[in-house]
Amino acid sequence: MASVRVLSPVTTPCRVMCQGVNYREHAVEAGMDPDALSYNLFFDKTDAAITGPVDPVVRPAHVRLLDYEIELALVLRRRVRENVVVTRDNLADYVFGVTIANDLSARDVQLPQGQFLKGKSYRGFCPVGPYLAVLDADEIGLVDELDLRLEVDGVPRQQDSSAHLLHKPAETLTELSTFCDLDPGDLLLTGTPSGITASSPPAIVRRIATALLSEQQLWRAFVARQLKRPYLEPGSVVTASITHPEGLVDLGTQRTTIVGPPAS
């Protein structure tokens, strides 16, 4: 393996669709009530973000709040051009396999600018792989039993099980088909567990700050406060793995080194 470059098991062009706040504890840390979330939150990344599982990722010069998000990624199997009903029984007709994705995010672009697409789509912001596990119909239920783990410089940051997804793959693909065409090889990132670097103040603090500060002052204060947190910097090494607790699936380990922009 040391003599070759390991590429993403998913090739481009492809769609990269994503789910937000899809784990209970992540919803809590984002300042939301998971029991009050009556909708499935969708967004997307451009496929320019896709890179290999051990490729270095450049933190753009203007980004200071670079965050990680380990996600179980579903690799889709078939062309969809109409509303479909996906169930647990026919899920394997729509999902070809699973792999690891890291939804790297520039929080100081995503949040103050409201730019999810841009803040999550810089080149290299979606490491994928190393392994793609192809699941047969009698194995597809394993997507609900996988353990996700992410570390930064050897320190655990995220750990949860796909059993705790708020919106499961079948219902998600059913809803996705109502507003999005799909093709074989497209990716669906199913959400990240708690443990991200970005933090949200309590609701009462947000209300007071909104009443007292202009929007510009509010986001300037947000960035200043967030700079005290351990965001990814050049030299940071992110490792991400997804396994089944009984060893039935092992998607390998991503190892992503964050680097600075090249000297001009």
Side-chain angles (χ1 to χ4, degrees):
M1 294 292 285
S3 66
V4 299
R5 179 186 174 196
V6 182
L7 303 178
S8 163
V10 175
T11 57
T12 57
C14 69
R15 297 179 182 85
V16 185
M17 304 302 299
C18 309
Q19 291 176 265
V21 290
N22 202 27
Y23 284 83
R24 173 172 292 274
E25 293 304 316
H26 177 47
V28 172
E29 75 177 349
M32 303 178 183
D33 178 359
D35 295 319
L37 285 174
S38 59
Y39 56 87
N40 200 341
L41 176 60
F42 291 96
F43 59 93
D44 60 350
K45 296 168 77 84
T46 72
D47 59 6
I50 290 181
T51 192
V54 294
D55 289 341
V57 171
V58 175
R59 187 184 76 170
H62 65 285
V63 172
R64 293 179 292 171
L65 306 182
L66 178 59
D67 212 349
Y68 50 80
E69 292 189 9
I70 185 175
E71 309 217 9
L72 173 65
L74 309 183
V75 183
L76 303 187
R77 180 185 290 275
R78 67 192 300 175
R79 186 175 189 264
V80 173
R81 292 294 185 275
E82 61 184 0
N83 296 1
V84 296
V85 177
V86 184
T87 67
R88 197 174 172 85
D89 291 336
N90 69 1
L91 182 61
D93 293 340
Y94 294 90
V95 175
F96 175 72
V98 292
T99 189
I100 304 169
N102 187 352
D103 177 21
L104 291 168
S105 305
R107 303 297 189 197
D108 40 357
V109 175
Q110 172 198 349
L111 299 176
Q113 297 183 20
Q115 297 259 22
F116 271 67
L117 181 66
K118 183 167 74 172
K120 290 173 170 283
S121 294
Y122 292 106
R123 298 188 185 280
F125 272 31
C126 191
V128 178
Y131 303 146
L132 188 159
V134 179
L135 302 179
D136 294 329
D138 60 346
E139 300 172 313
I140 195 68
L142 296 177
V143 297
D144 295 332
E145 304 172 8
L146 300 177
D147 294 331
L148 292 74
R149 181 179 178 87
L150 180 141
E151 298 180 354
V152 177
D153 298 328
V155 178
R157 295 285 187 90
Q158 291 183 285
Q159 187 165 1
D160 209 332
S161 168
S162 61
H164 300 144
L165 287 170
L166 296 175
H167 300 280
K168 303 294 187 181
E171 71 166 284
T172 295
L173 289 172
T174 298
E175 183 175 2
L176 191 58
S177 76
T178 66
F179 63 87
C180 182
D181 291 340
L182 301 170
D183 286 290
D186 286 350
L187 273 178
L188 172 63
L189 278 55
T190 57
T192 198
S194 63
I196 61 171
T197 310
S199 65
S200 178
I204 188 171
V205 174
R206 296 200 304 272
R207 287 196 294 270
I208 293 173
T210 300
L212 297 177
L213 301 174
S214 68
E215 184 174 1
Q216 185 177 21
Q217 291 172 322
L218 187 65
W219 286 116
R220 190 161 51 238
F222 166 82
V223 171
R225 185 177 67 251
Q226 292 294 304
L227 284 171
K228 300 175 183 178
R229 300 181 65 81
Y231 282 90
L232 300 176
E233 299 179 344
S236 298
V237 178
V238 183
T239 55
S241 60
I242 298 179
T243 58
H244 188 274
E246 297 177 6
L248 301 177
V249 175
D250 185 345
L251 301 181
T253 300
Q254 282 188 10
R255 183 179 176 88
T256 302
T257 301
I258 305 302
V259 299
S264 57

